[in-house]
Amino acid sequence: MNSSSSSLNSFYSSLARGIDGLDRSASPHLLCLQFMQNSLSLLRSTHTQLTQLVKRLHLPAGESWLDEYMDESTRLWEVCDVLKLGMSGMENYCTNVTHMVSLVEDLIRNGDSIHSHIGRQVARSITGCRREAISLEEENRVLAETRLDMLPLQQSDEVYPTESRLNGFNGFRGVLYAMRSVSSFLLTILTWGLVHWWPCSGPSFNGMSSFGSAYMTSIERLHQRVRIEIEQTAERPGILLYEFQIVRALIQELERNGSDRLEMNEKVNGLKIWIDLLRNGCENLVGQLDDLFDEIVEGRKRLLDLCSNR
């Protein structure tokens, strides 16, 4: 086996291990922040591995392989930009919920009535946070429908490319197809969790295992787990992120039980924990997205320099 074939096999094996590792790391609630962070980490790793592999494939300068990579990295960048935009409203949401929690704690600590001035302020703040969650989901729906319609997550070329096409440019096209398959899957998960999910959205990965690659089998298996969870928990379109849904549900319960001080105290204690998890997790994801943008810029520069030096 020559060095190029060994490098290709290593890349494909790494993809399968990455998806299997993501599957094993998943908690009972798949669409949670930890799963989102692991998915984004795998997306970054896949892109980095591809750009590092190019040098070992001895690709000819001035050929279309570079244009094909540029097209795919542009798609990756633009979908990740949608993810970042979709999360931008989450920071304000977390800030307002934290302020509302502080008001409720003041109400409980001072023993004020829900009908007092502070009580009425608390009631308005709780209602405002509930409405803000609705507004955030609506803004993300519009964002997803306008931007992602122009950036389809599914692959644009044939579903199952021919072996001769996959072998093009010393196997680079097969590698690029594999990265596109994995990134389409991961971007779909990230979009559903962080931006917007709606019935029948995203690409279909059914039947991928028949294509014969281990990473395809791994994608299909994990995709089925995600689909099952959505079917069991998602009652309407929106942001599926588990921590966001928990915070939203606690606020609704707080609004319903606003006159019961014991219930309010219990819900507020829960909210403090979950809103911290939500805020810190989203900050981590935004940081990872920024790192990915830097890595795409560096990857493009590396490949351009590689061509210029040949």
Side-chain angles (χ1 to χ4, degrees):
M1 181 181 294
N2 60 42
S3 60
S4 292
S5 297
S6 177
S7 297
L8 290 171
N9 289 336
S10 177
F11 178 81
Y12 291 127
S13 296
S14 177
L15 290 186
R17 288 195 302 272
I19 295 294
D20 288 341
L22 183 62
D23 194 353
R24 288 192 298 272
S25 71
S27 70
H29 302 287
L30 277 174
L31 296 171
C32 66
L33 281 164
Q34 185 62 52
F35 191 66
M36 298 293 112
Q37 291 164 4
N38 291 342
S39 297
L40 187 50
S41 293
L42 180 56
L43 186 67
R44 291 174 57 194
S45 174
T46 300
H47 172 262
T48 298
Q49 289 179 66
L50 180 137
T51 58
Q52 293 173 344
L53 176 63
V54 169
K55 189 173 182 179
R56 298 193 291 273
L57 296 181
H58 307 290
L59 300 177
E63 295 286 351
S64 64
W65 67 266
L66 183 59
D67 292 334
E68 292 173 24
Y69 164 75
M70 291 294 186
D71 289 343
E72 178 55 28
S73 61
T74 296
R75 185 186 77 111
L76 179 60
W77 180 293
E78 292 183 346
V79 176
C80 286
D81 189 51
V82 172
L83 293 176
K84 190 173 179 179
L85 285 172
M87 294 178 64
S88 63
M90 195 69 78
E91 182 178 359
N92 286 335
Y93 178 70
C94 289
T95 298
N96 290 337
V97 172
T98 300
H99 177 66
M100 179 269 288
V101 165
S102 178
L103 289 175
V104 176
E105 287 184 313
D106 285 345
L107 181 72
I108 295 172
R109 186 167 47 249
N110 296 327
D112 288 333
S113 164
I114 194 67
H115 301 295
S116 68
H117 172 70
I118 295 178
R120 290 192 297 273
Q121 191 177 4
V122 165
R124 286 194 299 270
S125 181
I126 293 172
T127 301
C129 288
R130 179 179 58 78
R131 290 174 177 170
E132 187 175 357
I134 296 171
S135 176
L136 177 60
E137 289 196 312
E138 176 60 18
E139 290 172 2
N140 279 10
R141 179 191 67 78
V142 174
L143 174 66
E145 290 181 354
T146 54
R147 290 285 299 275
L148 295 181
D149 275 352
M150 301 169 63
L151 299 167
L153 292 179
Q154 63 250 42
Q155 304 198 59
S156 58
D157 58 358
E158 65 268 33
V159 178
Y160 301 129
T162 63
E163 185 175 352
S164 61
R165 177 170 174 77
L166 291 177
N167 289 333
F169 296 115
N170 298 334
F172 175 77
R173 276 198 173 126
V175 167
L176 190 63
Y177 178 86
M179 189 189 88
R180 190 182 299 122
S181 299
V182 172
S183 65
S184 292
F185 173 63
L186 297 175
L187 290 170
T188 297
I189 287 176
L190 289 163
T191 299
W192 286 346
L194 304 174
V195 183
H196 184 71
W197 170 84
W198 61 103
C200 302
S201 63
S204 172
F205 296 95
N206 293 327
M208 273 189 146
S209 58
S210 64
F211 194 44
S213 297
Y215 75 88
M216 295 282 200
T217 303
S218 299
I219 289 175
E220 184 175 359
R221 181 168 55 247
L222 183 51
H223 179 248
Q224 289 304 315
R225 284 190 64 189
V226 173
R227 277 292 188 186
I228 289 171
E229 175 164 329
I230 290 174
E231 289 171 0
Q232 292 175 342
T233 61
E235 298 178 354
R236 55 174 183 72
I239 300 170
L240 296 186
L241 186 65
Y242 178 68
E243 288 82 356
F244 173 76
Q245 292 296 336
I246 290 292
V247 167
R248 184 173 183 172
L250 286 171
I251 291 172
Q252 290 174 335
E253 291 176 15
L254 192 59
E255 188 174 38
R256 286 195 298 267
N257 298 288
S259 60
D260 188 321
R261 201 173 305 279
L262 186 61
E263 284 283 343
M264 290 178 70
N265 190 57
E266 179 183 338
K267 296 299 181 292
V268 162
N269 288 336
L271 266 173
K272 289 170 66 175
I273 294 171
W274 285 102
I275 200 64
D276 282 345
L277 288 173
L278 182 60
R279 179 191 296 105
N280 294 334
C282 288
E283 287 176 355
N284 177 283
L285 285 164
V286 170
Q288 280 206 64
L289 286 170
D290 287 337
D291 289 342
L292 176 57
F293 292 142
D294 291 341
E295 289 158 7
I296 291 173
V297 171
E298 180 59 31
R300 288 181 164 191
K301 183 178 182 299
R302 183 186 300 126
L303 300 194
L304 286 169
D305 289 346
L306 186 64
C307 290
S308 300
N309 294 331
R310 286 184 179 173

